[in-house]
Amino acid sequence: MNEIRLHNTMTNRLEVLEPVHKGEVRIYTCGPTVYDFAHIGNFRTFVFQDVLRRFLRSRGLRVMQVMNLTDVDDRIIANAAAAGVSIRDYTEKYIEAFLADMNTLHLEMPEEVVRATDHIPDMVSLIERLQAKGMTYASDGSIYYRIAKFPAYGKLSKIDVAGMKSGVRVDTDRYEKDDVRDFALWKAPKPGEHFWKTEIGPGRPGWHIECSAMAMKYLGDTIDIHTGGVDLTFPHHENEIAQSEGATGHTFVRMWLHAEHLIIEGEKMSKSLGNFFTLRDLFAKGQKPSTIRFLLLSVPYRRQLNFTADSLKQAENSVERLRNFMVRVKTEQFPAGSNPEMGKRVEKAENDFDAGLADDLNTAVALAAVFDLVRDVNTAMDRREFRQQDAPRLVATMEKFDAILAMLVDDDAEKLRNLGIAPEKPRLEAAEVEALIEERNAAKKRRDFKRSDQIRQQLTDSGIIVEDTKDGSVRWKYK
Ligand SMILES: [Zn+2]
């Protein structure tokens, strides 16, 4: 079995995964801030994390993954106050939408999905630990982390802390601080806005403290893997390290994994450029969930992903090829017996797939292994070299791949219906399709090609792909 190597941002090297607890990998994932719908760039990171956890589980490892929902920050508090609703009421619909979007992309639910507002006491006690160690100071009712007390600050992002000039804003907090590098752990209440009454005074938590508090609560002082988008490296993850290691004195995270940015047609995604997409925007334009999932996972996570109309088309075709292949394997009549060469070919594909993922989740290599197999087996089938008894092994292998890829089952229409997005055309029921195909066969038999062509056109127009095979049978599927 190939050793699992992952790129650790801390050391800037590939390292062998060696979990703290044998057989179990503990992962913390920075989740979304739930004041709006998550965008497609966010989902690139979440798809990468899904591939990671599915791959680890395929290796028989237990996964304990915690993802936070940031349901308190300055924007949320201000927006909720402006709308005259509670924070919980304000964030509820975005949390529901996010979880539904995850389901639509076949993202497995982490073992714990936790809200910041349910963990205020945990954050308060972590701040108290830092206070007891003299790593904080108070100013105007807020509490700050004194970075000068944590000499290792900057070790993740390799930022030159000493060279950071006063006046350079590294955090968005607009509060009085002793040193511009310091960041807020706890913020004084603002008039008219929500606050919590706690042992450290009234107020609300800073953003960074929630991840430290929740990660350590569920996963222990030292966790195996912490994931997030590359833009979180500094200051967010740097601050998480300062808080956690400042309090415990232990290494907080063994491996930091960061996903690169997604750009759209070569440009940075932004609302002002008009190229800002949520998942639902793309579905409304006719894209399928499986297309988006394929495209997001097809580029290895440490490479920038250029999201283009062409790449969407290619992704859609690729999913189509896999699904058609499965239909062929399951429905075509192959010659009896088995071909030992096929067994060897399938085994090679399994090993190549695993080797790709074990090499820092190189999904491009893993997918190449799958598509090479599909091509070779299709060729063997055309030559009648693929035998009946080769099919079960092949199906099992494809399903093994799909435990990670999650795209072989054609449930796009159902997923969209669940989101309240209807497919453009009413879809023909399977029985109707079968009846039309039978009628077309009959027309062909009596050499009424005009009628058989008509039916074929009708099926095509209804989004049905019809394929006449060499053995005379007809395969069909939904486009
Ligand atoms: Zn975080």
Side-chain angles (χ1 to χ4, degrees):
M1 194 103 72
N2 308 286
E3 256 180 345
I4 301 174
R5 288 169 194 274
L6 299 168
H7 180 268
N8 186 356
T9 308
M10 183 65 82
T11 57
N12 196 22
R13 277 202 314 258
L14 288 180
E15 292 175 8
V16 176
L17 174 67
E18 279 163 2
V20 176
H21 302 267
K22 198 171 159 32
E24 177 174 292
V25 184
R26 300 190 178 184
I27 306 173
Y28 186 83
T29 292
C30 287
T33 302
V34 285
Y35 73 103
D36 201 349
F37 294 98
H39 59 69
I40 188 71
N42 300 136
F43 280 105
R44 193 230 173 151
T45 306
F46 295 124
V47 167
F48 136 64
Q49 288 152 177
D50 187 62
V51 171
L52 171 65
R53 57 169 290 134
R54 284 171 179 267
F55 175 56
L56 296 176
R57 294 205 305 119
S58 81
R59 286 298 199 87
L61 292 158
R62 281 193 312 280
V63 169
M64 173 61 188
Q65 182 187 14
V66 176
M67 180 171 74
N68 68 308
L69 299 170
T70 300
D71 63 346
V72 51
D73 82 343
D74 290 352
R75 287 164 299 194
I76 289 172
I77 291 179
N79 290 0
V85 296
S86 69
I87 290 177
R88 196 146 281 236
D89 284 344
Y90 180 77
T91 54
E92 194 58 43
K93 80 168 179 182
Y94 298 116
I95 291 177
E96 268 175 31
F98 177 71
L99 299 178
D101 284 352
M102 281 188 73
N103 180 47
T104 306
L105 284 188
H106 279 285
L107 300 179
E108 288 184 343
M109 216 34 81
E111 284 61 28
E112 296 281 352
V113 178
V114 290
R115 297 180 190 210
T117 54
D118 288 337
H119 295 78
I120 303 292
D122 301 295
M123 300 180 214
V124 167
S125 66
L126 181 56
I127 294 169
E128 285 176 324
R129 285 173 80 179
L130 292 168
Q131 282 178 326
K133 289 190 153 192
M135 307 192 81
T136 70
Y137 60 93
S139 167
D140 283 346
S142 296
I143 301 170
Y144 295 94
Y145 189 101
R146 193 183 293 282
I147 285 183
K149 291 276 187 179
F150 189 72
Y153 192 85
K155 64 179 173 177
L156 179 69
S157 54
K158 318 293 183 283
I159 204 137
D160 177 13
V161 189
M164 276 165 57
K165 292 192 189 70
S166 135
V168 177
R169 192 171 291 287
V170 298
D171 213 337
T172 50
D173 304 325
R174 293 189 185 142
Y175 294 84
E176 277 314 305
K177 310 182 221 182
D178 284 3
D179 186 323
V180 68
R181 303 169 303 174
D182 295 340
F183 59 92
L185 296 163
W186 189 255
K187 301 178 180 184
K190 284 187 190 166
E193 292 185 356
H194 185 84
F195 64 92
W196 282 264
K197 264 189 174 161
T198 71
E199 296 83 345
I200 54 173
R204 62 206 205 211
W207 170 33
H208 314 297
I209 195 72
E210 69 174 82
C211 285
S212 283
M214 293 192 276
M216 294 197 293
K217 173 174 181 158
Y218 292 96
L219 301 172
D221 286 1
T222 301
I223 65 183
D224 297 308
I225 298 176
H226 193 313
T227 65
V230 68
D231 50 326
L232 295 184
T233 311
F234 181 83
H236 184 52
H237 291 161
E238 203 70 72
N239 292 352
E240 281 187 41
I241 294 170
Q243 294 164 155
S244 296
E245 299 190 357
T248 68
H250 302 138
T251 299
F252 175 43
V253 169
R254 287 196 166 182
M255 281 181 162
W256 288 92
L257 270 57
H258 289 107
E260 256 302 331
H261 285 296
L262 173 148
I263 54 173
I264 308 264
E265 304 281 356
E267 292 201 75
K268 194 169 183 279
M269 182 165 66
S270 81
K271 282 187 172 155
S272 58
L273 284 175
N275 64 357
F276 183 94
F277 301 112
T278 66
L279 272 188
R280 289 155 203 239
D281 294 336
L282 294 166
F283 297 150
K285 287 173 188 282
Q287 298 297 341
K288 298 175 195 167
S290 59
T291 305
I292 308 292
R293 181 174 170 95
F294 186 95
L295 178 48
L296 293 183
L297 72 67
S298 62
V299 177
Y301 76 97
R302 284 203 299 128
R303 241 185 263 160
Q304 193 177 59
L305 191 156
N306 190 11
F307 195 91
T308 65
D310 275 356
S311 60
L312 276 168
K313 194 70 221 160
Q314 278 175 25
E316 186 179 8
N317 291 341
S318 299
V319 174
E320 203 59 38
R321 208 176 318 147
L322 290 179
R323 290 178 177 173
N324 286 339
F325 178 69
M326 286 308 277
V327 172
R328 181 172 193 190
V329 176
K330 287 179 174 173
T331 58
E332 198 166 310
Q333 287 299 310
F334 304 110
S338 70
N339 177 354
E341 288 306 312
M342 281 297 118
K344 281 187 216 155
R345 182 63 192 83
V346 169
E347 195 179 322
K348 176 182 175 345
E350 281 188 1
N351 189 54
D352 291 349
F353 184 81
D354 181 84
L357 292 177
D359 180 17
D360 198 24
L361 302 179
N362 193 328
T363 46
V365 169
L367 284 172
V370 177
F371 283 98
D372 287 352
L373 177 70
V374 168
R375 186 199 56 221
D376 290 353
V377 172
N378 269 325
T379 305
M381 287 171 173
D382 293 344
R383 292 184 183 147
R384 314 297 286 161
E385 288 165 2
F386 186 88
R387 304 298 178 86
Q388 207 60 49
Q389 283 168 32
D390 298 326
R393 168 79 198 272
L394 178 63
V395 169
T397 294
M398 290 299 288
E399 282 169 356
K400 215 161 136 185
F401 294 158
D402 203 50
I404 291 163
L405 302 176
M407 57 189 58
L408 284 184
V409 177
D410 186 355
D411 57 2
D412 288 313
E414 180 199 326
K415 292 281 185 200
L416 291 177
R417 273 196 301 274
N418 289 344
L419 286 187
I421 300 168
E424 285 157 24
K425 287 177 209 150
R427 153 182 166 132
L428 285 178
E429 295 299 323
E432 297 173 272
V433 178
E434 298 286 358
L436 282 168
I437 285 176
E438 226 162 88
E439 198 193 330
R440 175 168 168 263
N441 289 345
K444 270 169 125 180
K445 235 177 226 163
R446 60 174 193 269
R447 307 190 63 78
D448 180 356
F449 296 114
K450 194 173 162 223
R451 178 65 191 140
S452 69
D453 285 350
Q454 245 175 16
I455 295 170
R456 182 169 190 133
Q457 192 56 47
Q458 185 187 347
L459 289 166
T460 306
D461 291 346
S462 309
I464 309 293
I465 298 167
V466 181
E467 203 184 330
D468 297 304
T469 64
K470 287 185 183 162
D471 66 10
S473 62
V474 178
R475 284 200 300 264
W476 68 271
K477 68 187 299 299
Y478 294 109
K479 196 150 70 185

